[in-house]
């Protein structure tokens, strides 16, 4: 017997309610936090998805509106990366790191013809690449700055030995910033064995072809690896050169060595 759309909707709501209620119960019993955290997050996510769905339904019909959506997404990703890095106004430079990954990957995909210049393809693929680049950028900036703060004695020692400011910071921040690439590398290494990412599942459900779903997922993972690598490399360079910094901890100390 077939299930009507209305019946499916009721079952979906009931399942979501049951899962979030159980999550709230676990919060309460284990005292992880307020029981309202999980329900509040789900409600907010549902409202955001509803609003985005309405916008995308209109935006995907035209390439210019699809590009406008990507611009808004880029602005939101930039603000998020700056906030997470705790780098204050200097974090504005992270927009360059974020853009470096996106501006390398998307043109390659479009020029190759693998991704058509259509809103229905450009926005989803661009959003996935942008999200991965944002996470890598913010994580690399935060870890690099934390490393410079925590190991500042090593930075000063390198400066006293004649290293430039850029090289002294770079040596300390490099390994910490590189850690931001590990989640993407691990995801790629374990895809199909441990996880089935969203792009694979989405294409599989839409087309029923496992081969086509696998091809799309490999394309996405390759793009993510390149975008994240470029973004982390630029972020490290910005931190090493002092463009992205925590003024209250970093610059006052470096001024001694300039003198």
């Amino acid at each position: 017997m077939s299930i009507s759309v209305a019946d499916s909707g009721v079952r979906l709501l009931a399942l979501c309610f049951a899962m979030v209620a159980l999550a709230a119960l676990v919060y309460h019993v284990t005292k992880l936090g307020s029981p309202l955290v999980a329900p509040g997050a789900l409600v907010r996510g549902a409202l955001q998805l509803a609003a985005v769905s309405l916008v995308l339904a209109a935006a995907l019909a035209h390439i210019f509106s699809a590009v406008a959506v990507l611009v808004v997404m880029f602005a939101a990703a930039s603000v998020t990366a700056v906030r997470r890095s705790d780098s204050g106004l200097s974090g504005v430079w992270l927009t360059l790191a974020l853009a470096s990954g996106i501006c390398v990957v998307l043109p390659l995909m479009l020029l190759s013809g693998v991704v058509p210049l259509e809103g229905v393809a450009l926005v989803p693929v661009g959003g996935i690449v942008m999200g991965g680049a944002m996470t890598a950028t913010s994580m690399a900036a935060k870890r690099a700055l934390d490393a410079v703060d925590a190991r500042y004695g090593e930075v000063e020692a390198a400066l006293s030995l004649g290293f430039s400011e850029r090289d002294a910071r770079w040596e300390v921040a490099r390994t910490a910033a590189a850690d931001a690439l590990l989640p993407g590398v691990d995801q790629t290494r374990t895809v199909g064995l441990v996880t089935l990412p969203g792009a694979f599942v989405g294409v599989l459900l839409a087309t029923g072809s496992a081969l086509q779903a696998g091809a799309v997922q490999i394309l996405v993972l390759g793009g993510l690896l390149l975008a994240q690598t470029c973004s982390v490399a630029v972020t490290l360079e910005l931190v090493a050169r002092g463009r992205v910094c925590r003024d209250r901890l970093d610059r006052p100390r470096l001024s001694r060595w300039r003198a």
Side-chain angles (χ1 to χ4, degrees):
M1 182 175 63
S2 62
I3 300 175
S4 66
V5 175
D7 189 34
S8 297
V10 171
R11 293 189 182 192
L12 174 63
L13 289 175
L15 177 59
C16 291
F17 179 81
M19 290 190 294
V20 79
L22 288 173
L25 180 61
V26 173
Y27 263 84
H28 176 69
V29 172
T30 59
K31 301 187 185 303
L32 291 175
S34 171
L36 298 178
V37 171
L42 186 64
V43 170
R44 176 176 175 175
L47 292 175
Q48 289 176 173
L49 284 174
V52 169
S53 297
L54 292 175
V55 172
L56 289 181
L60 296 183
H62 306 284
I63 187 62
F64 67 87
S65 55
V67 171
V69 169
L70 286 177
V71 170
V72 173
M73 292 170 67
F74 179 80
S78 299
V79 171
T80 301
V82 172
R83 178 171 51 82
R84 289 180 179 173
S85 67
D86 189 26
S87 54
L89 291 177
S90 69
V92 173
W93 284 94
L94 292 177
T95 56
L96 294 179
L98 185 58
S100 68
I102 300 167
C103 292
V104 170
V105 173
L106 286 186
L108 283 176
M109 290 183 172
L110 293 173
L111 290 174
S112 68
V114 175
V115 175
L117 188 58
E118 300 174 359
V120 70
L122 187 60
V123 171
V125 174
I128 292 173
V129 173
M130 196 177 305
M134 177 196 71
T135 300
T137 298
S138 59
M139 185 181 298
K142 186 179 188 308
R143 293 195 178 212
L145 291 172
D146 287 345
V148 170
D149 292 344
R151 300 169 56 190
Y152 207 84
E154 296 177 41
V155 176
E156 291 182 323
L159 290 170
S160 68
L161 292 173
F163 280 66
S164 66
E165 290 182 10
R166 183 264 178 194
D167 291 343
R169 288 182 187 161
W170 191 87
E171 287 294 336
V172 170
R174 176 175 55 85
T175 302
D179 286 345
L181 294 172
L182 292 178
V185 173
D186 287 342
Q187 180 187 26
T188 304
R189 286 174 175 170
T190 60
V191 65
L193 297 177
V194 179
T195 61
L196 291 177
F200 179 90
V201 174
V203 175
L204 181 61
L205 292 176
T207 65
S209 171
L211 290 177
Q212 187 174 350
V216 171
Q217 187 60 60
I218 287 297
L219 170 68
V220 169
L221 289 175
L224 282 173
L225 286 176
L226 177 57
Q228 291 174 339
T229 302
C230 292
S231 294
V232 169
V234 174
T235 298
L236 176 58
E237 193 65 29
L238 290 171
V239 171
R241 293 183 179 277
R243 294 290 186 263
V244 177
C245 63
R246 291 171 180 158
D247 291 343
R248 63 186 184 278
L249 296 173
D250 195 10
R251 288 187 176 177
R253 295 179 180 177
L254 283 178
S255 63
R256 294 187 307 163
W257 296 103
R258 292 197 185 99

